[in-house]
Amino acid sequence: MAKHARQLPQDRGTVLFDVVFEDGSRASNRRVPMEILGGLDGDQPARDLIEQQEAEIAEKAGRPPRGIQSLTRTAKPEPKPPRE
């Protein structure tokens, strides 16, 4: 039986971001669609989308939303050597 090859997030049409919040907490690998990125705005649409997601999560949890201190793209993983 053939194994299913996993696609990288970039191949699925998403970009991963690491988010550091103002309270010092960190969220890794937050997915953002590639379609909203690029152009003159750069990564600002990703910040807006993640802030919107955080507001929805905070509302459901019954707490105030956390502010974003920094937002960086996650480094692409190094390819694993093929199995023999």
Side-chain angles (χ1 to χ4, degrees):
M1 241 175 121
K3 288 188 177 183
H4 176 69
R6 274 191 126 160
Q7 288 183 329
L8 294 173
Q10 293 82 3
D11 297 335
R12 291 189 301 246
T14 58
V15 177
L16 301 177
F17 283 89
D18 289 332
V19 183
V20 177
F21 295 100
E22 292 173 351
D23 63 358
S25 60
R26 180 174 175 230
S28 298
N29 298 333
R30 296 285 293 264
R31 294 178 191 271
V32 175
M34 281 184 172
E35 299 87 45
I36 68 169
L37 299 175
L40 299 175
D41 294 334
D43 290 341
Q44 184 60 38
R47 177 181 286 269
D48 297 339
L49 178 67
I50 292 173
E51 285 175 348
Q52 179 184 0
Q53 291 173 349
E54 182 61 29
E56 292 172 6
I57 292 168
E59 182 181 339
K60 290 177 183 178
R63 61 170 172 77
R66 300 178 289 181
I68 295 176
Q69 180 179 357
S70 68
L71 182 75
T72 56
R73 289 184 185 222
T74 303
K76 288 185 179 180
E78 294 183 23
K80 294 181 181 178
R83 291 185 175 177
E84 294 180 13

